[in-house]
Amino acid sequence: MEDYHRPGEEVGFNAEEAHNIVRECIDGVLSGEDYNQNSINQWTAAIVEQSLTHLVKLGKPYKYIVTCAVVQKSAYGFHTASSCFWDTTSDGTCTVRWENRTMNCIVNVFAVAIVL
């Protein structure tokens, strides 16, 4: 585990960096697509897997949890909520909201610091 935590390494989750990574993954999977119920499983799996892969490649001392929901746009809206009990000085979260004319996508990233 020494590879994950180097002396002098910044402590704290960089939500902006994670947001940019996830946004690129969503764009890569959903750009140009219209809502299709038969593609939801494939899309959500691809977004989650790509996001995790890119986050892990950062080499930061975190365990990541990534969730993804894709829903058809409707007049009823779409609401989500989450709550965490953790160390706010090292752990963190970010939520990425994406939409086009036919669907909404919400991705949550939870980063829990690996304490050595």
Side-chain angles (χ1 to χ4, degrees):
M1 288 294 190
E2 291 175 4
D3 295 345
Y4 286 104
H5 193 249
R6 296 168 193 92
E9 186 174 291
E10 69 181 71
V11 177
F13 176 64
N14 186 334
E16 184 178 342
E17 183 177 43
H19 185 280
N20 293 336
I21 287 169
V22 171
R23 181 69 187 211
E24 286 181 22
C25 293
I26 296 169
D27 284 339
V29 173
L30 296 181
S31 277
E33 298 288 347
D34 285 330
Y35 180 83
N36 179 348
Q37 183 176 349
N38 296 326
S39 299
I40 297 298
N41 289 341
Q42 178 185 348
W43 289 339
T44 55
I47 291 166
V48 168
E49 293 296 324
Q50 289 176 26
S51 296
L52 277 173
T53 298
H54 287 87
L55 289 166
V56 169
K57 283 181 181 178
L58 294 174
K60 306 270 176 109
Y62 288 101
K63 292 181 181 182
Y64 297 102
I65 300 108
V66 179
T67 66
C68 178
V70 175
V71 296
Q72 187 173 16
K73 233 181 203 180
S74 73
Y76 303 111
F78 177 49
H79 303 275
T80 66
S82 64
S83 180
C84 301
F85 180 75
W86 57 18
D87 183 349
T88 58
T89 62
S90 58
D91 304 332
T93 185
C94 84
T95 299
V96 180
R97 180 177 172 263
W98 182 97
E99 66 180 282
N100 67 13
R101 64 181 184 76
T102 63
M103 62 184 147
N104 291 304
C105 176
I106 301 284
V107 175
N108 288 303
V109 175
F110 302 94
V112 181
I114 298 171
V115 180
L116 302 176

